Amino acid sequence: MSNLRTSPLSRRGLLAAGGAVGLGAVLAACGDGDEKSSTSGSGAEKSGPWSFKDDRGQTAKAESVPKNIVAFIGVAAALHDYGVEVKGVFGPTKAADGKADVQAGDIDIDKVEVLGNVWGEFNVEKYAGLAPELLVTAMWEKDALWYVPDQSKDKILKLAPSVALWAAQTTMPKAIQRHEDLAASLGADVKAEKVTDAKAAFEKAAARLRAAAKSQPNIKVMIGSASQDLFYVSLAKTSADTLYFQELGVRFVEPKVNAAGFFEELSWENVDKYDADIIMMDNRSSALQPDALASKPTWAQLPAVKAGQVIPRTTEPIYSYDKCAPILDALAEAIEKAKKVS
């Protein structure tokens, strides 16, 4: 990813640069598995062998419950919400202003070892120095470990067992459940009041979104991501969050996706190709945010933009009930208030 002008991007690199909905600002600059574990998640200390079957169908094993855990930042943030802490993280952790990236959730980024902050960056020496007992990351494509560089993957995977959990080809509730399963296997008390209250809030928010979509059946939502040169429109069914929103009744623009299957690239001259009443914009640091698009006259002329019906999209959700409930509530509120403008 260091030389985008001369090196072709892999499909996985395309997703990272602008995510499941587009390349984002980087271009301008250059199934569910069945969990099997020896622990029940009661929160008590466990002894004896540990194992967990991940979404690749592979079983990670250890002589005891792993303590020295290294994880992709978004997965680490989900584990944190269940009370499981990690030693090191990789992926977008620190923003340009030095503050925590949106994907860090409630993690205190000063208390974890950051092994890499951008795509293609993973300090293997620092990783080894942590004496890792488990590596955990997301998976957008089968067997592709999110933010684990291909060129150093073999070295990394030799140092500790690994677990990969789907961020695509699943739905939000299933993804949350799998993160909870993993947290439980690592000793989290998933019956704690904080967790059960968050689950109740999630279910309430899901019911609200379903009701909002039913009450506003003509409202159409477009999932977008912006770079300096291109605008990307995502296909809802390719991501766990938007597939779930679709299942709840939300109507989405259906772009003619490229060969990768996740999104369609549009020039700024053609950004009005699809009619939409609400635009959900990629909120990650790799993508241009709406306030940076003032110089794009075609953007300003979009009906949803004129109507002020542009909202952030958490493109890579932190899969805990605590972090996903507000996402559902925000979309429900946007649909409840939306006017038909397309």
Side-chain angles (χ1 to χ4, degrees), residues 180-208:
E180 184 175 290
D181 290 343
L182 177 60
S185 82
L186 295 170
D189 182 2
V190 299
K191 302 299 184 183
E193 185 176 359
K194 177 184 177 182
V195 177
T196 57
D197 285 353
K199 184 175 183 179
F202 176 86
E203 292 172 346
K204 182 178 179 181
R208 179 185 179 186

Side-chain angles (χ1 to χ4, degrees), residues 233-283:
V233 182
S234 175
L235 187 63
K237 69 179 182 179
T238 57
S239 298
D241 59 333
T242 47
L243 174 58
Y244 182 52
F245 305 158
Q246 200 168 43
E247 289 180 351
L248 291 175
V250 178
R251 290 184 63 212
F252 286 99
V253 166
E254 296 190 4
K256 296 180 179 179
V257 296
N258 60 19
F262 286 90
F263 51 81
E264 177 180 2
E265 304 99 328
L266 298 176
S267 68
W268 283 104
E269 289 76 15
N270 295 315
V271 74
D272 61 351
K273 178 177 179 179
Y274 297 106
D275 293 330
D277 304 293
I278 296 173
I279 303 176
M280 300 176 68
M281 290 293 287
D282 187 349
N283 73 339

Side-chain angles (χ1 to χ4, degrees), residues 326-341:
I327 295 173
L328 295 172
D329 272 326
L331 181 55
E333 181 178 5
I335 294 174
E336 288 164 357
K337 294 181 177 179
K339 297 179 181 178
K340 182 66 180 176
V341 295

Side-chain angles (χ1 to χ4, degrees), residues 292-310:
L293 300 177
S295 63
K296 307 290 186 185
T298 50
W299 166 259
Q301 292 303 310
L302 293 177
V305 176
K306 284 184 174 182
Q309 294 178 174
V310 177

